[in-house]
Amino acid sequence: MLEKVKKTIAKYKLICKNDRIVVGVSGGSDSLALLYILNSLKKEYKLTLHIAHLDHMLRKDSGKDRLFVENLAHKLNLPVNAVNINIKAIARRGSIEEISRNARLAFFFKIAKDIKTTKIALGHNLDDQAETVLMRLIRGTGLHGLSGMLPKKEIYGYQIIRPLIEIKRREIDCYLKKKNIRPRIDTSNMEDIYLRNKIRHKLIPLLEKEYNLNLKELLSNTAENVGYDYDYLNRAAYEKARNLGRKIDLGKFLKLHPAMQRMILRLNIVRLKGDTRRITFGHIKEIEDLIANRPGNSIVDLPGKISVIKKKNFLSFYRR
């Protein structure tokens, strides 16, 4: 498995010599395998590793995960930052999954800034990739959603890298078993109240059994292929958006291909909101209706306190 991970690292240029890397470690199988593999590559790449652990306090025994990770850091002689955040207390108006993800990323970014690096390693694997693509397809998505989790992605100036993205979950389990490493078990991963868990435990096994044994690999390949296509189109849209300016000239905008128009609309949302979470296809269609059919000074309100106003000759996005 180590050689497969090294090929992924080389293929996507995930790691350079002398890198300082924040490693997100929950204590589960994936993050443990990631940590041990990066630690085994430490001398070869002259890496400086720093463990980051966030306790979401969603389970009664989650404090034991933190203690486990802290003890592991001591055993491996690696620095560690571990904090608690009461997610339920701040998730009264929103998705616990989304708020947990945002809190985790914000914590990783802070640690990266503190140790003067921009690189953060996460333990997502090939199974996670397949589940993500299928989940987004079920919920409804475009090219961006189908591109899944990229091996390397820049967010707010930080690089998220996923060295295990081409490794199957069962390979990770075998790796840990051979090394006699016992991970912490998150019992919430067994509960089918979450869509991802339903897809993992019910839908994917059914599709593999009845339709295609190589389903996970195919979904992962789809994510990679779409990811390259989306990246190319996104760069082209970025240039077009920059040329159009903050106030989008509707005459020039309407001459563009509809695919480019939609990407430019999303880029303007990202510019103000930081992401497109909670922005649905319906929202994009509503903006298109605003442009095509509604009179000047009409407004569309979007999630994240973002609004779009149509003037006589231009379209403008702003915070309300």
Side-chain angles (χ1 to χ4, degrees), residues 37 256 289:
I37 285 173
L256 299 174
D289 181 67

Side-chain angles (χ1 to χ4, degrees), residues 210-233:
E210 299 292 337
Y211 298 95
N212 197 318
L213 283 172
N214 298 317
L215 178 73
K216 293 174 185 174
E217 289 88 343
L218 290 174
L219 288 171
S220 181
N221 292 341
T222 296
E224 180 176 341
N225 289 329
V226 173
Y228 282 126
D229 292 345
Y230 179 80
D231 184 60
Y232 176 79
L233 290 171

Side-chain angles (χ1 to χ4, degrees), residues 40-58:
S40 69
L41 297 174
K42 193 165 63 171
K43 287 185 179 179
E44 181 179 346
Y45 284 90
K46 298 179 181 178
L47 302 176
T48 299
L49 304 178
H50 194 109
I51 297 173
H53 173 82
L54 180 63
D55 179 1
H56 297 101
M57 301 175 69
L58 293 172

Side-chain angles (χ1 to χ4, degrees), residues 76-312:
L76 298 176
N77 195 28
L78 293 173
V80 59
N81 278 78
V83 299
N84 299 344
I85 295 182
N86 191 336
I87 294 296
K88 284 185 178 178
I90 62 175
R92 294 173 183 171
R93 295 183 180 180
S95 161
I96 285 182
E97 290 175 272
E98 183 177 345
I99 291 171
S100 296
R101 179 172 52 248
N102 291 340
R104 191 162 53 247
L105 282 176
F107 172 60
F108 293 155
F109 294 159
K110 182 183 183 303
I111 301 303
K113 183 179 180 181
D114 289 345
I115 69 168
K116 296 179 173 56
T117 187
T118 59
K119 197 159 285 188
I120 300 162
L122 302 180
H124 297 116
N125 59 49
L126 185 143
D127 290 55
D128 294 324
Q129 180 78 292
E131 292 160 8
T132 297
V133 172
L134 198 51
M135 181 170 66
R136 290 176 178 176
L137 188 60
I138 289 170
R139 284 176 168 169
T141 190
L143 286 181
H144 179 256
L146 288 177
S147 64
M149 298 179 290
L150 299 176
K152 179 166 64 177
K153 182 177 183 179
E154 185 169 314
I155 305 177
Y156 303 131
Y158 296 95
Q159 273 193 4
I160 305 295
I161 62 170
R162 298 180 170 94
L164 305 185
I165 200 66
E166 296 181 322
I167 307 296
K168 291 183 180 179
R169 189 173 290 127
R170 60 178 174 81
E171 292 178 280
I172 290 171
D173 291 338
C174 288
Y175 170 82
L176 295 177
K177 189 174 181 180
K178 285 180 180 179
K179 287 191 167 291
N180 198 29
I181 300 168
R182 297 183 64 181
R184 292 286 299 167
I185 304 299
D186 184 348
T187 53
S188 66
N189 287 334
M190 301 295 140
E191 299 172 3
D192 286 340
I193 59 173
Y194 300 112
L195 177 58
R196 180 179 290 274
N197 290 351
K198 288 181 180 178
I199 289 171
R200 177 182 299 175
H201 300 140
K202 295 181 178 180
L203 183 56
I204 286 182
L206 173 65
L207 293 175
E208 285 179 325
K209 180 182 178 181
E210 299 292 337
Y211 298 95
N212 197 318
L213 283 172
N214 298 317
L215 178 73
K216 293 174 185 174
E217 289 88 343
L218 290 174
L219 288 171
S220 181
N221 292 341
T222 296
E224 180 176 341
N225 289 329
V226 173
Y228 282 126
D229 292 345
Y230 179 80
D231 184 60
Y232 176 79
L233 290 171
N234 193 55
R235 291 185 188 190
Y238 180 81
E239 287 301 316
K240 290 287 185 183
R242 190 172 66 173
N243 292 335
L244 287 172
R246 297 291 178 90
K247 292 183 178 180
I248 300 173
D249 184 311
L250 287 175
K252 294 179 180 178
F253 178 81
L254 291 171
K255 291 178 182 178
L256 299 174
H257 190 280
M260 192 61 64
Q261 291 177 3
R262 288 177 177 176
M263 294 194 79
I264 289 170
L265 295 179
R266 290 183 177 275
L267 283 172
N268 276 274
I269 294 169
V270 171
R271 176 174 58 82
L272 292 174
K273 188 174 176 290
D275 55 46
T276 55
R277 297 191 191 284
R278 296 170 57 210
I279 302 296
T280 67
F281 182 59
H283 292 125
I284 300 300
K285 293 290 287 183
E286 191 174 0
I287 299 173
E288 289 176 337
D289 181 67
L290 170 73
I291 295 169
N293 302 313
R294 301 185 197 179
N297 294 319
S298 296
I299 296 172
V300 167
D301 291 330
L302 303 171
K305 297 184 178 180
I306 305 299
S307 294
V308 192
I309 186 169
K310 176 186 177 181
K311 293 292 186 177
K312 184 178 180 181

